[in-house]
Amino acid sequence: MTVLPITSVFAAAFAVSLVALSFPISVRRAKAGQMVGDSADETLRRRIRAQGNFIEYVPLGVISLGLVEAHVAAAWMVIAIGTTLASGRLLHAIGMLRGLEALRGFGMLLTYTALLVAAGYLVLDAAS
């Protein structure tokens, strides 16, 4: 059985992060009386999109990270990719929730970087 300790730590951190992004949505839904959809409540919409964007990128990021680790990449590389992805997701969420577009954009750039570096590593390693 292959054990992926670095990816496991990042996956656990991302799971906690998802709950941290999701719980405030539930609270806001109850407060706004809007259990389905996003209504006209701007705060609720921002929270939903921050969570949705997290869900759109993190699963493939974790899968890619796990594959890089399974390909026996250097630990520093796996940690660097995971840290870049985590930093990107954190900055994006803060930017989204606070309306800071530059921070949100920088978070996306870090996310794209993590995904592209992982993809590049996997392609190059598979080709060799």
Side-chain angles (χ1 to χ4, degrees), residues 21 24-26 28-29 32 34 36-54 56 92-93 95-99 104:
L21 286 170
I25 294 170
S26 299
R28 188 67 180 197
R29 283 188 182 287
Q34 184 71 41
V36 177
D38 60 6
S39 76
D41 187 314
E42 186 62 26
T43 300
L44 180 57
R45 271 205 292 241
R46 285 188 174 279
R47 289 178 184 178
I48 289 169
R49 281 313 311 144
Q51 177 209 43
N53 197 274
F54 184 91
E56 291 164 0
H92 179 273
M96 187 72 199
L97 294 170
R98 296 191 180 164
R104 182 178 166 209

Side-chain angles (χ1 to χ4, degrees), residues 42-124:
E42 186 62 26
T43 300
L44 180 57
R45 271 205 292 241
R46 285 188 174 279
R47 289 178 184 178
I48 289 169
R49 281 313 311 144
Q51 177 209 43
N53 197 274
F54 184 91
I55 291 169
E56 291 164 0
Y57 285 95
V58 170
L60 185 57
V62 171
I63 291 167
S64 298
L65 187 66
L67 289 170
V68 168
E69 188 171 9
H71 278 242
V72 195
W76 68 264
M77 178 175 278
V78 180
I79 292 167
I81 293 168
T83 300
T84 302
L85 180 63
S87 298
R89 296 294 72 217
L90 176 63
L91 293 176
H92 179 273
I94 292 169
M96 187 72 199
L97 294 170
R98 296 191 180 164
L100 303 171
E101 296 305 315
L103 197 59
R104 182 178 166 209
F106 188 61
M108 286 310 306
L109 286 175
L110 288 175
T111 300
Y112 296 153
T113 298
L115 291 171
L116 289 171
V117 169
Y121 179 87
L122 292 170
V123 168
L124 291 174

